[in-house]
DNA sequence: CTGGATCCCTCACGATACTG
DNA sequence: CAGTATCGTGAGGGATCCAG
């Protein structure tokens, strides 16, 4: 296997050699949401050839980013999960996701939305400072995609699947990005059908919009840290 | 120009489409240090083919990450510089550089060190909280590579070239990484010749080592112990 | 069904030479 | 200095096949 390197003795260059191969960073993002099987990864990465996925998994395992684990009986199946070293890429993934979100407007022809991209997106745009001491739960549907958010005393957990007992249940489309970016108000989002409240109050929805916002200035973030 | 996309409506995926092409992220890192001409970029990116550099520059210009600017007379030459949008990748570059530095041990066969990689490296590992109110200047030489650091009331600027009036002038090799990672002490670095003080006190050098540190992850610490 | 391996084809990338 | 032109190679895209 010819190593594709950059010929520089430099931490950044070495990092790019690991995560910069095609599909590699998306694999890591999906595994940040939670451990997955080969087929789960395939489904979450539209268009990736199986041989490329196999190659990336081996390379990333070699690099100490993830590990291949055989589940105990009776499941006996195989899952891929990030090592601690791999999980430390979360900051980078969030920083890059935040940057990319700024120029995200509307879906391109054929583009899909995946659960894991949304899970990481909501983790990324979560305004921790607005959530001090807050305990609340949400369920969000985007077409077939359903995910839930639990905020427990300001700490967030985002996962796939429904949460029937959630305080606020929403149905939305890609247009919800405009709400998160502050381009439209919560009232507008409801009025034009971008978001539909299945359960919960408008007031609760306004708080939701405060808790998740895209454009956070670096200065503001530093002030929080 | 066939667009290589990932088919996901997702900020992170869009970002990876921009910076994930081969060499792209390194070009951005070099431009974060300062604007550059085509040839400067070539020199800082060992092995990049000229046509690939041309292609990347056009793509990144198209993506609004950098701009091509013709300098006014009499210079008349062309520089590439990041747009504001491109400069906002600094957080991500630092986060990724920090991650990669953790597993950086010794140079591989034929690997070189570039000025710009070092400039970004020192910006990245700067411990701002240790530098409150500090004003001091350094000049560092790594073989042919010379760079300087000015810390003015806790604010850092790192640039290429010498700084004859610096408070501390050092000569070092790649082994200095061990010092920054806390694997050896300043005293050891001087004793084994990893670092040589050209001008300045040992006390000043100890402070230098406090101001620049690679954060070692818990996992890495365990591996070392 | 999961978890891949194998094949073929294309095009992005790498190397080198050359030009305004 | 700032690229363009040309050409060979191999990584990635896409489909199919196979073992447990």
């Amino acid at each position: 296997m010819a190593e594709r390197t950059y010929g520089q003795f430099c931490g950044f260059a070495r990092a790019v050699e690991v995560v910069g191969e095609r599909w590699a960073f998306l694999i890591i993002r999906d595994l940040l949401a939670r451990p997955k099987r080969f087929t789960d990864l395939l489904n979450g990465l539209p268009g990736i050839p199986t041989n490329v996925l196999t190659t990336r998994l081996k390379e990333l395992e070699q690099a100490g980013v993830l590990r291949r684990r055989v589940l105990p009986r009776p499941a006996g199946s195989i899952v891929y999960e990030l090592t601690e070293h791999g999980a430390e890429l979360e900051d980078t993934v969030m920083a890059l996701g935040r940057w990319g979100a700024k120029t995200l407007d509307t879906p391109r022809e054929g583009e899909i939305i995946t659960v894991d991209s949304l899970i990481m997106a909501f983790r990324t745009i979560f305004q921790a400072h607005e959530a001090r001491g807050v305990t609340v739960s949400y369920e969000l549907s985007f077409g077939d995609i359903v995910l839930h958010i639990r905020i427990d005393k300001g700490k967030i957990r985002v996962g796939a699947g429904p949460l029937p007992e959630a305080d606020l249940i929403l149905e939305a489309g890609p247009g919800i990005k405009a709400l998160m970016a502050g381009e439209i108000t919560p009232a507008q989002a409801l009025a034009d059908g971008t978001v539909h409240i299945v359960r919960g109050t408008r007031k609760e929805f306004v708080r939701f919009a405060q808790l998740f916002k895209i454009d956070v200035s670096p200065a503001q973030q530093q002030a929080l840290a």
Side-chain angles (χ1 to χ4, degrees), chain A:
Chain A
M1 185 186 303
E3 304 197 1
R4 304 181 85 206
T5 63
Y6 285 106
Q8 293 186 16
F9 180 68
C10 162
F12 181 77
R14 295 286 183 89
V16 173
E17 287 171 7
V18 172
V19 305
E21 295 293 301
R22 189 150 168 77
W23 294 107
F25 225 165
L26 293 194
I27 292 170
I28 291 166
R29 180 205 57 185
D30 280 9
L31 290 179
L32 270 170
R34 63 204 156 118
K36 285 190 174 49
R37 291 176 301 178
F38 190 88
T39 313
D40 298 331
L41 285 165
L42 268 187
N43 292 336
L45 302 168
I48 188 174
T50 58
N51 55 355
V52 173
L53 179 54
T54 302
T55 305
R56 288 294 164 272
L57 289 172
K58 282 179 183 162
E59 289 167 353
L60 291 173
E61 186 179 12
Q62 181 72 21
V65 172
L66 58 81
R67 75 173 66 88
R68 187 179 193 274
R69 190 158 62 87
V70 180
L71 290 181
R73 289 290 183 185
S77 58
I78 295 163
V79 293
Y80 296 90
E81 59 186 8
L82 294 181
T83 61
E84 190 177 344
H85 182 233
E88 285 171 1
L89 280 165
E90 181 161 5
D91 287 346
T92 310
V93 168
M94 287 190 176
L96 196 50
R98 207 172 286 122
W99 185 81
K102 289 175 191 165
T103 52
L104 190 66
D105 37 23
T106 58
R108 293 192 286 235
E109 176 83 16
E111 268 188 342
I112 67 167
I113 296 180
T114 70
V115 204
D116 297 301
S117 74
L118 280 178
I119 289 176
M120 283 310 299
F122 278 102
R123 280 195 205 166
T124 299
I125 67 176
F126 178 54
Q127 306 289 306
H129 58 103
E130 297 273 8
R132 295 273 164 99
V134 170
T135 295
V136 66
S137 60
Y138 305 112
E139 178 188 300
L140 309 172
S141 297
F142 302 82
D144 301 340
I145 310 291
V146 183
L147 62 102
H148 62 270
I149 302 174
R150 296 172 201 264
I151 300 175
D152 184 24
K153 292 173 191 162
K155 283 214 63 172
I156 188 172
R157 282 180 302 157
V158 189
L163 185 67
E165 71 271 27
D167 301 312
L168 181 68
I169 299 184
L170 301 176
E171 286 175 1
I176 198 177
K177 188 260 162 186
L179 175 65
M180 300 313 177
E183 296 158 10
I184 60 173
T185 65
Q188 283 176 297
L190 292 175
D192 65 14
T194 300
V195 177
H196 176 232
I197 297 179
V198 178
R199 184 167 78 223
T201 62
R202 292 174 71 100
K203 193 171 174 183
E204 194 69 81
F205 177 56
V206 169
R207 180 164 74 167
F208 171 82
Q210 284 173 339
L211 290 177
F212 297 95
K213 277 184 199 154
I214 286 179
D215 205 5
V216 186
S217 71
Q220 195 174 0
Q221 279 199 331
Q222 223 165 13
L224 300 169

